Amino acid sequence: MDHALVRNFCIVAHIDHGKSTLADRILEVCGAITDREAVDQVLDSMDLERERGITIKASAVHLQYQADDGQTYHLNLIDTPGHVDFSYEVSRSLKACEGALLLVDASQGVEAQTVANAYLAIDSDLDIIPVVNKIDIKNVERSFALGQLHEMFGFSEEEVLHASARTGEGVHEILEAVVARVRPPEGSAEAPLRALIFDSEYNSYRGVIAYVRVMDGRIRKGDTVRMMATGRQFEVDEVGVLAPAMTPTEELVAGAVGYLCAGIKDARECRVGDTITSARHPAAEPLPGYREPKAMVFAGLYPTESAEFASLKDALDKLALNDAALHYEAETSGALGFGFRCGFLGLLHMEIVQERLEREYDMDLVATAPSVVYRVYLKNGQRVEVENPAHYPDEGSIERAEEPYIRATIMCPEEAVGPCMQLSQARRAVFKDMVHTAGGRVTLTYSIPLAEILLEYYDQLKSVSRGYASLDYEFDGYKPAKLAKVNLMINYESVDALAFLTHREFAEVRARTIVDRLKQLLPRQLFEIRIQAAIGGRVIAAGRISQLRKNVIAKCYGGDITRKRKLLEKQKAGKKRMKQVGSVDVPQEAFMSLLKI
Amino acid sequence: MRKCPYCDFYSVAGREHLIDAYVLALKAELSQVRREIGPVSLRSIFIGGGTPTVLPSGEIAGLLDLCRELFAVEPDAEITCECNPGTVDAVALRDLKAAGVNRLSIGVQSFRDEELRFLERVHTAAEGRETVLQAREVGFERVSLDLIYCLPGQTRAQWEATLGEAVALEPDHLSAYCLQIEEGTRLAERLVTRRSGYQSRHCLLPMPEDEQAELYLRTADVLREAGFEQYEVSSYARPGAECKHNLTYWHNEPYLGVGASAWSFVDGERRQNAADVEAYVASWEAREPAIAYREHCAGAQAANETLMMGLRLREGLDLEAFRERHAVDLVHERGGTIGALVSGGLATLAGGRLALTTAGLAIAAEITTALAFAEEE
């Protein structure tokens, strides 16, 4: 394959700005799929992704495009995840490309994530083609997006393409621009092999399928390759391209994007960002930028039935085979029994894992409220990392504590600046910067404790800005924290899974809110339930749920016995889905109520 | 005649043309049952389910004669017939008495016309009184009245007035049912439709749980003062006047049921006849039993049934009998829960019986659920 005819590119866009639809149109124009095959959004292969309209796993599609100059070009379209939890995966996908389409919704304009990813693309030295999408929408004012693209990234009006991914208008021009403006890949086919793993996928028949960009050298079936970070060696079973179905090829040479199967059993042996080299003629240096996935958010996952612990372990083991970022360790809770403390990249990652466990592995789970990792310096000179509020050391033994902060970029319309600032300040955010851009948009920068983001910050941001604010964030280091551990007690029994850490100033307000919420969530039961929240021995909020007074089947005769028995058994089964804390049945939602403050 | 809006049992109206064929089918079924289980002795007979008096009294007499011919009906057997005011007169009642019926269960439901209209009953309060008095005149010594309370918006005074009138008519048995809004009934639909409207909804909201509990406890007190002991969740009787027939259900003992949609419980098997009258008749015309559902009840299911039914009775559950029948020592298996129930004043554990107090009976479903067994246990 001639290097000069290869173009590797990706699409950078905000959720809902039409990335997947545009990808589908490009595939159609290149004849890679017929209309009939075009189940909407081919690139998103997991059901969950399609349902949520987000891309979790990136994939790469190989296309052949007959350009206006008469030549047939080999285009590799690399899809990138669209959520901030997966920004490392995004950065690896970008490294596999030479060019990027920067897709902006004509009516919505540039959003925070788009900016973050666009800068990532610019930093990766990609050739960028700005595209204003959704021009088919009536009365849409293109000058707004054009102005933003100019002010933020310096694109002139002439550079910007206009398209409608929905109708297909402008897609031909986009492909011509890819050919003309994106440079062909460099790299030598004769140098020692260096291939970047930018994504992987688990297949129960073939093991882990690695998506790779070959930077130098070549890979063939039968080669022995080595993962430079993990040191593991594998024999290559197959290489090929996704067209978009898996299509084996002779080899993948420098500049090519494709897949590799090598009987890899576990995603943790094939990490995104790692470099594949030849075992026989290894490269001296790996490609730069490899990073271990770092869990930012921790939560306990417990089976509702204690007997299901082994099945949960099994399910997590299997899930981890295709999710290298998932981290888990067995733990015990007084209230919830045996389960796992799991680490996630972010809240969305957590939701996805929980949903996959429930859907694909048929688990009934109770999740505790997610927590960040606190650093606690003890008086005896030790430093401990606390992932679980229940394990927070005794107040008396603590010298000082730190919590993780993030640098948050919020983009919103001018009229929403006030509410967005108010909300952020109530979340202990430290103001950093404010920049006005075209079209009445404002970019706010804050340093915020990550713990505050977990408390539905994003949802509230959306709500105070009528849906117009967008958020992107990156890790901003550990900073001192004044923490208080609040214990919740049900009928005077402390429930470890409901304990939470909070800033001292907020402790009472939050304790009150949570007690009130539990009062609504716990069904009335045989006896009165008392709920208390306490710091140490001091009760700071309390409430009670009066006992159930009436629940009886008025009439129950011969004909009715079977029916009524089944009704009771169904109720019994419903209760089994709750966790018993002492004699109180606690529904699943109660544990997550800690988040809704 | 029409179906009541709160009823979720099987019933149909307007099938009078089927009466002859239906009676033939009933007789065919009785004969078949006799062939199957032999000339067992019968302690009670209950003619009921809606308005059985749509059958001419001659036909009811014929059916009872057939029962006596096929089975050993005990000399002091309790033979009850359900009837509804506005659908029977003195002549019909006299015929029932002559046929051997010795107990009447009269569906008066309320002594307030407004409530009867809400319940879409076909009779007035006056007609209810009239029917009870006629029953007395005809010579029925054993009369039970059915009442419904906890209606939306009903006050304590209103309910006590109905209770007072009922007591004044001197029945020996009362059944007082809290109105339950069953899904799929006309009443449930009516409430839903009204609730989605904007104004006048307060009058049709179901009575709040706590108010229902108050009325429920009050009912037991009022009736005790009048000489009626509560012996089951919704049943009250003068000493010795408990309904033998219903006790059979609550003791989870065998019974036979004939007719469309009727259930039987024989040799550990529960079965139900076709619910549809036409299907039931057609099946017996072809000399085929019209059984629509069978279930062999054993293990946890059977234990749960004994538990569910037994805890409805004030006398409670005989723990030794329970252990013998289901091989489960309830106190051993559920000691924690039972201890909490007893110390919380919801149950008593004495004389080898676990029995619910009136407050416990008010939440019998919740308690049964807490005590019930899962299949794998």
Side-chain angles (χ1 to χ4, degrees):
Chain A
M1 198 188 301
D2 184 356
H3 266 182
L5 296 180
V6 176
R7 296 291 183 274
N8 298 318
F9 72 107
C10 60
I11 308 174
V12 170
H14 188 73
I15 297 168
D16 289 340
H17 281 199
K19 183 173 70 170
S20 299
T21 316
L22 178 61
D24 288 350
R25 286 300 156 270
I26 291 176
L27 263 61
E28 274 172 37
V29 169
C30 297
I33 46 167
T34 60
D35 291 349
R36 275 189 45 173
E37 286 172 316
V39 183
D40 277 344
Q41 306 176 2
V42 173
L43 290 188
D44 298 348
S45 62
M46 278 195 260
D47 282 357
L48 214 58
E49 293 184 33
R50 197 164 296 151
E51 273 171 36
R52 289 167 172 249
I54 49 162
T55 311
I56 305 162
K57 286 281 183 188
S59 342
V61 183
H62 180 80
L63 304 162
Q64 301 204 353
Y65 174 64
Q66 173 101 46
D68 292 353
D69 64 9
Q71 304 252 43
T72 300
Y73 288 84
H74 296 268
L75 307 184
N76 291 304
L77 169 56
I78 292 154
D79 201 19
T80 53
H83 191 276
V84 61
D85 281 3
F86 303 101
S87 59
Y88 179 66
E89 293 192 12
V90 175
S91 75
R92 295 309 89 189
S93 300
L94 297 179
K95 289 283 180 209
C97 307
E98 279 77 35
L101 298 174
L102 173 58
L103 191 66
V104 178
D105 185 313
S107 57
Q108 305 288 313
V110 179
E111 304 275 9
Q113 273 162 37
T114 326
V115 180
N117 289 343
Y119 281 127
L120 270 180
I122 293 167
D123 290 345
S124 306
D125 199 24
L126 302 194
D127 298 319
I128 303 197
I129 302 168
V131 179
V132 173
N133 188 27
K134 304 199 185 176
I135 55 166
D136 56 308
I137 294 175
K138 260 193 194 150
N139 302 327
V140 73
E141 187 52 70
R142 291 184 213 182
S143 60
F144 163 51
L146 284 174
Q148 282 190 319
L149 286 167
H150 177 69
E151 256 185 62
M152 291 182 189
F153 309 108
F155 292 114
S156 68
E157 262 187 49
E158 298 70 49
E159 282 177 276
V160 181
L161 303 181
H162 299 264
S164 163
R166 201 178 61 82
T167 64
E169 186 184 349
V171 174
H172 174 77
E173 288 74 12
I174 291 174
L175 287 168
E176 284 299 316
V178 166
V179 166
R181 296 201 222 163
V182 175
R183 65 185 182 276
E186 291 158 11
S188 157
E190 311 317 319
L193 171 66
R194 290 204 298 176
L196 171 74
I197 303 172
F198 62 86
D199 194 12
S200 70
E201 189 178 345
Y202 184 82
N203 178 300
S204 43
Y205 300 104
R206 318 203 59 173
V208 178
I209 299 165
Y211 296 105
V212 297
R213 158 69 194 270
V214 183
M215 296 298 183
D216 293 312
R218 54 183 81 225
I219 315 178
R220 287 195 166 147
K221 180 178 171 174
D223 288 352
T224 303
V225 293
R226 179 187 302 160
M227 306 295 170
M228 292 184 84
T230 62
R232 297 293 308 259
Q233 295 198 173
F234 298 97
E235 192 184 310
V236 177
D237 298 333
E238 185 178 309
V239 292
V241 293
L242 295 152
M246 283 172 83
T247 313
T249 57
E250 206 43 31
E251 60 176 6
L252 292 175
V253 292
V257 171
Y259 70 88
L260 172 153
C261 303
I264 305 167
K265 298 282 186 300
D266 189 331
R268 285 164 292 194
E269 294 172 337
C270 176
R271 301 221 178 229
V272 168
D274 199 356
T275 303
I276 300 177
T277 191
S278 155
R280 205 175 307 161
H281 304 291
E285 290 286 324
L287 297 161
Y290 173 70
R291 198 171 91 187
E292 294 268 336
K294 175 127 183 64
M296 299 292 282
V297 173
F298 285 79
L301 291 183
Y302 288 83
T304 38
E305 280 289 308
S306 323
E308 294 292 301
F309 174 75
S311 329
L312 176 58
K313 178 172 188 320
D314 198 44
L316 281 167
D317 285 344
K318 282 189 187 139
L319 205 61
L321 292 180
N322 68 358
D323 186 347
L326 174 64
H327 167 98
Y328 56 100
E329 233 171 80
E331 72 168 4
T332 325
S333 151
L336 302 178
F338 291 104
F340 291 89
R341 174 97 339 209
C342 301
F344 308 97
L345 297 175
L347 279 185
L348 180 75
H349 186 213
M350 171 174 169
E351 261 180 66
I352 289 168
V353 167
Q354 208 183 330
E355 232 177 284
R356 290 188 63 189
L357 286 169
E358 289 184 342
R359 196 182 296 199
E360 294 169 32
Y361 298 94
D362 205 22
M363 301 294 314
D364 282 337
L365 296 176
V366 173
T368 65
S371 165
V372 300
V373 182
Y374 293 94
R375 273 186 195 158
V376 183
Y377 296 85
L378 301 178
K379 285 180 177 154
N380 65 11
Q382 269 188 313
R383 190 186 95 176
V384 287
E385 304 230 318
V386 179
E387 298 164 358
N388 182 346
H391 300 157
Y392 195 68
D394 252 2
E395 198 69 37
S397 65
I398 297 170
E399 171 83 40
R400 64 194 169 89
E402 287 179 349
E403 63 179 322
Y405 272 66
I406 49 136
R407 189 182 169 81
T409 310
I410 301 152
M411 296 191 67
C412 62
E414 255 160 18
E415 55 274 22
V417 167
C420 286
M421 288 179 87
Q422 251 174 6
L423 172 67
S424 305
Q425 266 140 22
R427 300 309 194 97
R428 300 189 282 136
V430 181
F431 177 76
K432 292 289 178 195
D433 195 17
M434 175 156 86
V435 178
H436 288 265
T437 56
R441 300 286 287 186
V442 175
T443 307
L444 293 165
T445 314
Y446 278 103
S447 187
I448 308 181
L450 176 59
E452 297 288 331
I453 300 277
L454 301 186
L455 303 173
E456 302 201 322
Y457 174 73
Y458 186 55
D459 287 349
Q460 291 186 14
L461 195 65
K462 278 278 180 202
S463 122
V464 300
S465 66
R466 298 211 184 80
Y468 285 113
S470 60
L471 171 73
D472 188 73
Y473 60 81
E474 58 191 10
F475 184 57
D476 197 24
Y478 272 80
K479 296 182 186 179
K482 285 188 186 136
L483 296 174
K485 179 185 172 186
V486 180
N487 280 311
L488 275 151
M489 289 171 284
I490 294 182
N491 285 349
Y492 310 106
E493 209 177 305
S494 180
V495 184
D496 56 358
L498 286 173
F500 64 98
L501 289 166
T502 182
H503 193 264
R504 253 174 242 164
E505 249 174 65
F506 295 160
E508 282 183 29
V509 178
R510 291 195 175 164
R512 181 80 257 156
T513 314
I514 286 165
V515 167
D516 286 345
R517 202 166 295 264
L518 288 175
K519 273 168 66 181
Q520 288 160 21
L521 278 171
L522 299 186
R524 292 172 80 180
Q525 297 177 21
L526 289 175
F527 303 103
E528 184 182 76
I529 303 170
R530 287 189 170 264
I531 305 171
Q532 292 166 308
I535 299 177
R538 190 168 58 95
V539 173
I540 54 172
R544 61 165 78 184
I545 301 169
S546 62
Q547 73 184 126
L548 180 74
R549 303 219 26 220
K550 184 91 185 355
N551 179 14
V552 60
I553 297 159
K555 204 170 193 173
C556 194
Y557 295 146
D560 236 16
I561 294 170
T562 303
R563 196 158 57 139
K564 299 299 189 207
R565 185 202 76 225
K566 285 180 179 168
L567 204 72
L568 292 180
E569 284 169 349
K570 208 170 128 193
Q571 277 179 24
K572 176 100 183 164
K575 295 218 164 164
K576 277 172 75 181
R577 291 221 42 183
M578 299 194 214
K579 267 289 172 188
Q580 268 222 321
V581 175
S583 60
V584 180
D585 295 315
V586 181
Q588 235 180 112
E589 305 90 280
F591 297 98
M592 291 304 277
S593 71
L594 298 186
L595 289 187
K596 299 185 163 71
I597 288 179
Chain B
M1 198 153 322
R2 62 166 185 256
K3 189 179 168 105
C4 296
Y6 49 85
C7 178
D8 76 333
F9 289 89
Y10 173 75
S11 65
V12 286
R15 299 289 193 285
E16 285 75 4
H17 61 281
L18 283 172
I19 286 174
D20 290 346
Y22 188 61
V23 170
L24 282 176
L26 287 175
K27 289 181 171 168
E29 185 174 15
L30 280 170
S31 308
Q32 169 61 28
V33 169
R34 154 70 200 262
R35 280 194 292 278
E36 218 176 280
I37 63 166
V40 293
S41 75
L42 302 182
R43 200 191 300 158
S44 64
I45 298 175
F46 199 98
I47 308 163
T51 310
T53 52
V54 291
L55 296 189
S57 31
E59 300 288 6
I60 292 181
L63 285 164
L64 286 176
D65 284 344
L66 183 62
C67 283
R68 278 185 281 261
E69 196 179 296
L70 294 169
F71 304 102
V73 176
E74 292 176 5
D76 60 344
E78 174 190 278
I79 302 176
T80 309
C81 184
E82 281 192 323
C83 59
N84 285 306
T87 65
V88 282
D89 54 17
V91 178
L93 292 178
R94 197 161 284 126
D95 288 347
L96 285 176
K97 177 117 185 30
V101 172
N102 56 24
R103 185 172 179 271
L104 282 185
S105 170
I106 304 173
V108 296
Q109 315 307 357
S110 163
F111 289 105
R112 297 188 64 239
D113 285 339
E114 189 195 337
E115 291 174 5
L116 291 169
R117 278 194 297 274
F118 170 78
L119 294 169
E120 297 182 29
R121 300 289 297 183
V122 296
H123 58 90
T124 60
E127 285 170 306
R129 264 177 233 118
E130 180 61 27
T131 304
V132 180
L133 293 174
Q134 278 173 351
R136 286 262 174 262
E137 273 170 33
V138 165
F140 280 104
E141 281 171 15
R142 302 198 56 195
V143 172
S144 175
L145 305 187
D146 275 4
L147 300 171
I148 298 185
Y149 68 118
C150 293
L151 306 180
Q154 189 181 36
T155 65
R156 176 169 149 173
Q158 287 168 348
W159 169 233
E160 285 185 9
T162 285
L163 268 182
E165 290 218 37
V167 169
L169 289 167
E170 298 186 332
D172 66 346
H173 188 281
L174 281 163
S175 298
Y177 301 109
C178 290
L179 177 68
Q180 257 170 313
I181 294 147
E182 305 284 354
E183 238 175 274
T185 58
R186 263 192 353 261
L187 182 63
E189 277 170 40
R190 227 161 72 190
L191 287 179
V192 168
T193 339
R194 287 287 184 96
R195 224 185 297 184
S196 55
Y198 50 102
Q199 276 303 330
S200 66
R201 56 182 172 172
H202 64 278
C203 63
L204 268 169
L205 282 181
M207 181 181 284
E209 199 183 86
D210 286 356
E211 279 178 44
Q212 291 192 28
E214 293 298 329
L215 279 196
Y216 183 74
L217 299 181
R218 181 73 193 144
T219 302
D221 286 346
V222 168
L223 291 178
R224 184 173 306 112
E225 278 168 38
F228 294 83
E229 274 305 315
Q230 178 178 29
Y231 71 99
E232 189 260 355
V233 168
S234 309
S235 309
Y236 308 80
R238 292 195 184 280
E242 295 83 6
C243 175
K244 272 193 214 174
H245 190 83
N246 287 342
L247 281 171
T248 302
Y249 297 133
W250 296 323
H251 287 143
N252 203 14
E253 289 168 344
Y255 53 85
L256 297 169
V258 295
S261 102
W263 286 80
S264 300
F265 179 41
V266 180
D267 293 335
E269 183 185 78
R270 292 198 188 278
R271 61 186 189 210
Q272 187 185 22
N273 285 339
D276 182 74
V277 177
E278 275 94 348
Y280 174 80
V281 166
S283 184
W284 281 107
E285 274 172 356
R287 297 179 179 282
E288 284 292 328
I291 296 167
Y293 178 84
R294 286 171 188 275
E295 176 186 271
H296 190 78
C297 204
Q301 281 188 5
N304 287 344
E305 287 180 353
T306 304
L307 190 67
M308 174 178 81
M309 303 309 279
L311 288 181
R312 298 183 68 83
L313 293 170
R314 265 319 288 272
E315 65 174 37
L317 205 61
D318 181 331
L319 293 165
E320 183 55 26
F322 189 83
R323 199 181 58 78
E324 267 176 33
R325 181 165 176 184
H326 301 293
V328 180
D329 185 333
L330 193 64
V331 176
H332 184 260
E333 293 294 325
R334 295 287 186 263
T337 312
I338 291 174
L341 291 171
V342 171
S343 61
L346 297 175
T348 57
L349 191 61
R353 306 187 83 94
L354 174 66
L356 302 188
T357 61
T358 305
L361 287 177
I363 52 170
E366 188 77 11
I367 293 174
T368 308
T369 307
L371 294 173
F373 296 93
E375 207 45 69
E376 62 268 21
E377 263 182 275

